[in-house]
Amino acid sequence: MNLEMRQKILSVCQEKIRQKGEKVQVSFYAFFANKNDQPEALMSVARWWIEEHQLNHFEKATKIYAMVKAYDDKGLESFVKGFNHLTLAVKDITRSLDFYVNQLGFRAEVRWAKGAYLSYGSAWLCLSLCLDKKEEVSEHYTHYAFNIDAASLAEMRNNPALDIWQTNQSEGDSLYVRDPDGHQLEFHLGSLSSRLASLKETPYQDLEWLSCHKKA
């Protein structure tokens, strides 16, 4: 559910409680003028009500209010599920690979014309060739990626206050957001394993496998 829908639920529950007392019950239809009103929003509330929480058809308005309010109070922390990967803009892929593999002990997974994927334990590092017109490294693509679930990602997309800095063009859905200081963040559905699996089917230009993940 997006922020607007959650605020509507809170408002309706408050009004029901004010009018009929704390024992009043509501169904998820109470938040819509009719069953055909806002079908997408209706389905999102229905999924939250039935699939996520297995609620009865009628529940106390006080219970629903408390559940939605608690969800709202969590804020963005409820969206983020952990760190996903780090992408660094680099000037020379070969030089950077040598440094991270031979000096720092990273494991090289794959490389291609404009990048490379490495791992270090569970950490995923992406090196991306990014040069400006003067052939100097352009840091505009350096960013920090976090894990997120599909429902939270969809909700974030409905937040008009977020500053989006690029659209997703890679495997796995993503949302790219700038923070107030201009740091570039990514909220990503996927992992290094899913990315490598996708490259076996649709390889990047000049892709070279550097690890045991090589396609049979």
Side-chain angles (χ1 to χ4, degrees):
M1 294 186 294
N2 61 30
L3 177 60
E4 181 181 2
M5 192 67 245
R6 295 200 305 273
Q7 290 176 336
K8 183 176 182 180
I9 291 174
L10 293 175
S11 176
V12 169
C13 286
Q14 281 182 312
E15 184 62 19
K16 294 283 187 182
I17 295 167
R18 186 188 68 79
Q19 291 178 347
K20 300 184 178 181
E22 294 189 352
K23 292 185 178 181
V24 66
Q25 295 187 331
V26 294
S27 76
F28 58 81
Y29 289 122
F31 313 116
F32 302 91
N34 58 67
K35 295 181 181 180
N36 296 318
D37 183 35
Q38 299 177 279
E40 291 185 2
L42 175 61
M43 290 304 298
S44 72
V45 175
R47 284 192 294 269
W48 178 86
W49 193 286
I50 299 169
E51 294 180 5
E52 293 184 33
H53 297 286
Q54 294 83 48
L55 297 173
N56 296 319
H57 184 73
F58 286 98
E59 293 282 0
K60 285 187 175 181
T62 52
K63 176 180 179 178
I64 301 304
Y65 181 91
M67 291 175 67
V68 175
K69 187 67 168 63
Y71 181 89
D72 238 22
D73 288 343
K74 289 180 181 178
L76 189 58
E77 70 178 75
S78 65
F79 292 160
V80 178
K81 307 302 180 184
F83 191 75
N84 189 278
H85 67 272
L86 170 64
T87 295
L88 297 176
V90 301
K91 184 176 182 179
D92 185 310
I93 294 295
T94 299
R95 182 182 68 177
S96 294
L97 266 175
D98 177 70
F99 174 77
Y100 282 99
V101 173
N102 296 321
Q103 304 302 321
L104 299 184
F106 278 69
R107 168 175 163 156
E109 303 289 351
V110 295
R111 68 171 295 172
W112 63 98
K114 294 185 177 181
Y117 291 144
L118 302 89
S119 61
Y120 193 99
S122 61
W124 172 12
L125 174 64
C126 172
L127 303 177
S128 181
L129 184 65
C130 293
L131 301 178
D132 59 21
K133 294 180 180 179
K134 296 181 180 180
E135 293 299 304
E136 294 296 327
V137 64
S138 171
E139 296 184 358
H140 80 279
Y141 195 61
T142 291
H143 62 274
Y144 315 90
F146 300 91
N147 292 316
I148 194 169
D149 60 50
S152 297
L153 188 63
E155 185 165 345
M156 287 184 71
R157 281 205 168 93
N158 291 325
N159 185 349
L162 295 180
D163 178 15
I164 308 301
W165 62 276
Q166 81 159 19
T167 57
N168 184 46
Q169 298 179 347
S170 302
E171 173 273 335
D173 200 3
S174 285
L175 185 67
Y176 296 84
V177 176
R178 285 192 185 90
D179 77 359
D181 294 300
H183 299 299
Q184 297 181 151
L185 312 176
E186 176 187 357
F187 296 90
H188 181 62
L189 277 174
S191 64
L192 176 58
S193 295
S194 65
R195 180 62 55 82
L196 294 175
S198 75
L199 293 180
K200 293 178 181 179
E201 302 301 324
T202 310
Y204 297 150
Q205 180 183 356
D206 299 327
L207 184 74
E208 178 184 355
W209 291 89
L210 304 174
S211 71
C212 61
H213 294 282
K214 185 174 181 179
K215 184 177 180 179

